[in-house]
Amino acid sequence: MSLARARSTIALCLALAPVAAPGAPSFTATEMMRLRRLGDLRPSPDGTRVAFALTDIDLPAGMRNSDIFVMPTAGGPPQRVVADPASDTRPRWSRDGRRLAFLSTRGGAAQVWVTEAGGGPAWRLTSLATGVDAFEWLDDERLAVVSAVFPDCGQDDGCNARRLAEAGQGSSARAYDALLFRHWDRWSDGRRSHLLAVRTDGQGAIDLTPGPGEVPPFSLEGEDWAVSPEGSEACFSRKDAREEAWSTNADLLVVPTTGGPARVVGRSAGYDGSCRYSPDGRWLGWRAQERNGYESDRWQLMVLDRRSGQQRRLTPSLDRQVEEFTFAPDGGTVTFTVQEDGHTRVLSVPTAGGPIRTVLDGASLGELSVLPGGGGILAAAASLTHPAELVRFGMDGSGPFRVSRLNDATLAPFALRAGESVHYQGAAGKTVQAWLVKPPDFDPSRRYPLLVLIHGGPQGAWTDGWTYRWNAEVFASAGFVVFMPNPRGSVGWGQEFTDDVNRDWGGRAFEDVMRGTDWAEALPFVEKGRTAAAGASFGGYMVNWIAGHTDRFRALVSHDGMFDTVSAYYSTEELWFPEWEFGGPPWRRPDLYQRWNPANHVAQFRTPTLVVHGERDFRLPLEQGLSMYAALRRQGVPARLLVFPDENHWVLKPANSVRWYEEVLAWLRRWTGGDGRGAGGPQ
């Protein structure tokens, strides 16, 4: 199958054949909350069924609820097998396929529950005082679970319960003697994530990873642990606790599930993680990085022959990031995904080493599972116009077809337009890819305001995939032509392109965005002079940088962006990130921190800016947003501050998400003129 044919076929799997419909309803954030969110795919042992969690939003109540469904992998109606007002997630089949275990918050902290695979009453398998964050079956009588325990208590559940009770008494003060005392949106309470083996009758537990280490660590990607098919061994990643705030070096270890010393099997200079066993148990695979301190270094695919002990790197010459991977039933090949020019490419390579071949090239694909008995590959596929649905295709990429149609009826009335992949010349003559999304009722005789969206990372990418946080279709339905460039730092165009943003945050990446804006403003249906830009995280930094370097935009939106590179370093938690991006800590590289510091260009701020921040964002703490807002208002620049006390680096709660879109769109419409609808024709 040619790449062009494969790409168009997988896109057609999700297409709803939109047509221009002037009378069609507008696709708003409120309408987006009606969509059902698919996740946690897990095929049955025989490959004939797939279990998954499906999340529904109750916007008036401000609640979301996840239940467990099962459906045939050949297609058919999904059956709800677990329903409860509490959250039910992470379905896992027993080894004989007769039972389905899952995580549930019914009764308080998340615990493992189980039901018959066909549905019926559920009963609880675990009652750990510290709850369960993740789990897998070891055998019919044992589970491997991840739980945050006090290191000196370990597997002693009574000890953990007493410590938790004591923590709620007396003074509310927190005291720390080491870095990484808070992470993402939580303060440390002294517990560490450990891997435990527990019995399903609730009797006894074994701490497989005792000590101060976090297992798995707050992983860069993935869960970073797995169990072997026979249940006798577990693999996991672990970092040196002393250096975890400024190092990305994690080793890969294996440990018997009956307890005992762990053994290191992966020790690259960077991160070793995302371990998986082959179904026949012979191979252990994982992803590895060569550079310590760089979370966006190239991920390479590694395998270990558990019989001979021989290790092999399967992708030494592949200049792309290995993302997900899965073994064939016989362990002879590994199928994996990479990002390529804004799409997902599915590749395969022999486990014994050899040439890499393309299986499929299409929209956004994830959660790959190879079905037994030649059943092909099951995956979750999404696009800019459609959230994740189940798809299935052959091992050679043939015959992709839709297994589920969870959101077709909800999306059909809106006639959303597919994103158009475009290319232009960026800094230093390099080609830059971008996505262009037009309004559903697009009329080429009209002229529309332009909205430039800048992604985070900076080592991220806009892809042909669905997102609930910066949904291009919501902005396009509000009357904007949406332009989404993938400047230097983006993933999917080789490691050199990704590395090109290192120590150069306001340089080539900024030029790429500006040249892309030039290209988009030259389109005949874009009205130059009504252009706005918005972004979050690194995108927020870029908006702050733009504010001090050009007044070409009518409005800006800065969400959780870095305002002061120096103060951001001293208040963030993951120190490895700024140390890599700016060449070290500020006292060693003050030149780079000051060179790329938006705070040094406050006097040039002129553009009306909406500043958004979450109070629980510990990656870029609230003070960064408050400083940006103060710098604008003190100079008389029109600005508005939007703060979410209960959100972190992302806006996740349904009601908050809707408010976010309302505020952002109101700001953009205010400064780009009118209601955002196209000019040059009947209004």
Side-chain angles (χ1 to χ4, degrees), residues 127-344:
S127 300
L128 295 176
T130 49
V132 176
D133 296 321
F135 79 97
E136 297 287 349
W137 290 92
L138 290 175
D139 50 48
D140 290 341
E141 298 179 349
R142 296 186 305 150
L143 302 170
V145 306
V146 173
S147 185
V149 301
F150 292 97
D152 56 337
C153 293
Q155 65 201 29
D156 186 340
D157 198 50
C159 175
N160 283 305
R162 289 191 296 273
R163 293 286 297 278
L164 286 172
E166 292 168 359
Q169 302 173 357
S171 171
S172 61
R174 304 184 182 104
Y176 300 97
D177 298 300
L179 287 174
L180 214 67
F181 48 86
R182 64 180 188 176
H183 192 242
W184 200 246
D185 58 6
R186 296 182 182 180
W187 290 84
S188 172
D189 62 0
R191 290 186 289 166
R192 305 290 281 174
S193 182
H194 280 199
L195 185 60
L196 311 176
V198 301
R199 292 179 55 84
T200 56
D201 61 8
Q203 301 299 311
I206 301 173
D207 188 349
L208 302 178
T209 58
E214 190 97 38
V215 176
F218 41 89
S219 57
L220 302 178
E221 292 185 23
E223 293 187 335
D224 291 332
W225 72 283
V227 299
S228 61
E230 73 282 358
S232 64
E233 181 183 277
C235 62
F236 61 90
S237 299
R238 183 168 64 195
K239 295 178 66 175
D240 184 332
R242 186 183 69 84
E243 299 181 352
E244 61 184 344
W246 62 88
S247 169
T248 60
N249 181 29
D251 294 332
L252 183 71
L253 300 91
V254 295
V255 65
T257 56
T258 53
R263 175 172 57 93
V264 177
V265 296
R267 199 194 294 271
S268 68
Y271 200 97
D272 293 89
S274 309
C275 60
R276 295 288 181 271
Y277 290 90
S278 62
D280 62 358
R282 177 176 176 179
W283 300 94
L284 174 63
W286 70 96
R287 301 185 308 151
Q289 295 178 317
E290 296 181 346
R291 290 181 282 184
N292 184 20
Y294 189 21
E295 66 181 26
S296 298
D297 193 22
R298 180 165 60 111
W299 289 103
Q300 300 194 56
L301 184 59
M302 306 287 295
V303 291
L304 167 70
D305 188 334
R306 296 175 71 201
R307 296 177 187 172
S308 67
Q310 180 183 6
Q311 289 190 22
R312 182 175 295 113
R313 190 183 306 270
L314 298 182
T315 56
S317 60
L318 180 66
D319 189 22
R320 293 294 184 270
Q321 303 261 13
V322 174
E323 296 189 333
E324 297 184 16
F325 70 92
T326 183
F327 286 92
D330 63 0
T333 59
V334 184
T335 301
F336 61 97
T337 61
V338 300
Q339 289 297 316
E340 177 70 38
D341 199 35
H343 296 86
T344 300

Side-chain angles (χ1 to χ4, degrees), residues 54-58 61-68 80 82-89 102-108 113:
L54 200 58
T55 302
D56 292 300
I57 302 296
D58 184 344
M63 302 289 290
R64 68 178 69 210
N65 182 60
S66 299
D67 289 331
I68 306 298
R80 192 191 309 257
V82 175
D84 192 89
S87 175
D88 300 310
T89 59
F102 56 95
L103 279 186
S104 181
T105 57
R106 60 188 79 182
W113 291 64

Side-chain angles (χ1 to χ4, degrees), residues 375-428:
I377 298 174
L378 188 73
S383 71
L384 281 162
T385 61
H386 207 112
E389 296 277 2
L390 285 164
V391 298
R392 183 173 169 178
F393 51 91
M395 295 293 292
D396 59 355
S398 60
F401 72 94
R402 285 274 295 279
V403 177
S404 69
R405 297 186 177 275
L406 302 169
N407 288 299
D408 285 13
T410 303
L411 284 171
F414 302 106
L416 304 180
R417 286 184 174 269
E420 301 173 32
S421 179
V422 300
H423 297 81
Y424 63 92
Q425 188 177 83

